[in-house]
Structures are given as C-alpha cells and as structure tokens.
Amino acid sequence: MPKVIHIGPCDTPGGMANVMRTLVEYPPEGWEAELLSSHVIGSPWAKWRAYRRARATLTRMLRDEAQRPDIIHLHTAADWSWWRKRRFAQMAHKAGIPNIVHIHSGKFDSWLGNPNSRRSKAMRKELETNQSQTVVLNSSWKSAMEPFIGSVTVINNAVPPNIQPNNAPRDDKHILLMGRNDPVKGHQFAMKVCQKVKNAIPGLQVTMTGVSSSHHEWISTVGWVSESRKLKLLQKSSILLVPSAFEGQPLVIIEALTCGLPVLASDRVKDLPDSVMIAPYQNIEMWASKIIEMLDAPKNPSLLIKQAQSYSVATISKKWESLYSRMLGID
C-alpha cells in the first residue's frame, strides 16, 4: 500500500493543522498517511529545534525501506514557513521521491511581491529543480499564483465527517467569530461592528475565539477552543463573521455551512459559495446592516448544507487520490 507523509505544523493550533490531521485520518482509498511535525509554538530557538528534528526524522525514514514514503506532502504558508519547507522538497527530490508543495497562506502573492521579484524567481527555481507539484486551495489563488510560480493544481480543503448539524434550536441573536489572535482576522473590527448592532438589538450575544479579553461583558472571549467546543458553537450560533483581510480558503466557512450556519464574510475572501453573504472590508456601517438583515431573515439551513457537500472528505479524497496516482504513474 503506497504511503504519503504530511510535513508541516500538525501540532500547532490552527487551520493548517486541522487540514493535515483530516488528510491523515481520511487518506485516499488504498493509501496510508502519516504526520511529521516541523513546527512548535515558542521561541525562535524552539522552532528551529523542531524543524531540525523533523529533518533528522525524514532523513532516517528515507534511509529505511520499511519507513520510506512514496510521496512527501509539504504544507506551507509564506515567508519562513516556505524557506524551511523547501529543504524538505530538496531532500525528497534527492531521494527520488515525488513531492507536493501545498500552499495554505492567503498572503503568498503579496509576500512574493511581483512575478519578477527575487523571491518569485527563487521559488520558481526551487519548484522546478525539485520537480514539486504545487497545490493551492481555490481557483482565485490559481489565477493569482501562476504568474509568480508557474503551473498549480487546485484542491479545496475538506470538511471532516464529524462536522454535522444537529436538531437543537439555534440561539436567536448569537454572533460567532472564529480565528487565531491575529490582526488579519479582524477581531477588533468585529467588536466595533457588534457594538453598533447591539445598539439596535440589545439582546445580542457575541462569542470570539482566539482572543481572551474584551471591554464588553456581552462579548465572550474564549481563547483557543477544542474541536468539540468549536462544533457546538457552529451548531448553536446565529451567524459566523469572517472579516479577514485575506484567507487561503477559510475552512471554518465551509464547516459553518455544513452545520447550516449562515456566514458573512469580507469581500477580500475569494471563491466562496453563493450562499455566503459578502460585505466590504472594514466598512462598519455595511457590516452592521448586513448582520441585522441576516438576523431578521435567516437563510434556510438546508440550502447552506447542500452547498457545502462538494467539500466533503469523500469528494476531496478522490482528488488527492488522482493527483497522488498521477505522480507515481499509477493508472
């Protein structure tokens, strides 16, 4: 049975880790999959040690026929994440093993600068030299990235099978924002928007993950939450807000739709299902107006759930199976 090893921040809280764990837990039919962690939260020294440990582990695996993978699947964001991952691609190519560079970051093109920048030229050269198969998360990123780094393949993130709606009634006026504590996720903007909405809807509740404090007692800031807690929030809330400055493909949007939860997202988040409501980035008035409208007339959950079906594990696994098989020359 062929084996793929996924290398990246699988032990670091975040969307990339969730994607990696899903791909390993539900590999394509007839494939084995393993995780190799290359990142930890901590000091630069701790991160460097984690990276070096991962390189040492991969070196041992490449020398042992019983552990040697058939494909090395790298998961990367921009900047230092990529500079570290390219070393694994080099190791794979030197060992004669096909490799995938799976780009997750929504700011990769801005980090590269332009197609003729030193970074773009260096990355193109690395991908060509290492014969890497590059994967991005949606068609918009394909159009954006190909002028910088050459041909890429589109494969969406998959929704784990445990993400499902339940039959319990939803809260009436409960806004949810889920994301790490990073300015690009828009927590501070969302707080301002929700304050404006609360002036019109006094009973408003707000829950935000990723942050641990707020000046408002009606905003529940819960830090990082477990997968089970996340699912309960998706099943119980009224609207998910995604006011991000950029995203690759925010899996939480598809998870929300899978649970029948309406979504309001920034117009900077591309290639979203038609059922997702869009508002202009950082426009407080428009966001508040859209939220009030959505709370007054919620969408039919069954329509949302139907649109998310193309992101199921069963569907996405077949795309990975096709790519893996093509890379190994398997019919």
Side-chain angles (χ1 to χ4, degrees), residues 29 34 65 77 88 115 120 148 158 165 180 182 193 195 218 231 236 292 294 305 324 329:
E29 185 176 356
E34 295 180 7
E65 285 298 325
F88 295 108
S120 294
F148 293 83
R180 68 183 184 277
D182 189 309
V193 170
Q195 176 65 74
W218 48 274
L231 178 56
K236 195 72 172 172
I292 293 170
M294 293 171 72
I305 294 168
Y324 291 166

Side-chain angles (χ1 to χ4, degrees), residues 105-125:
S105 172
K107 63 175 182 178
F108 221 110
D109 57 340
S110 60
W111 175 73
L112 289 171
N114 65 70
N116 293 315
S117 70
R118 291 177 63 184
R119 287 175 178 171
S120 294
K121 290 177 180 178
M123 185 169 185
R124 276 199 305 273
K125 184 177 179 180

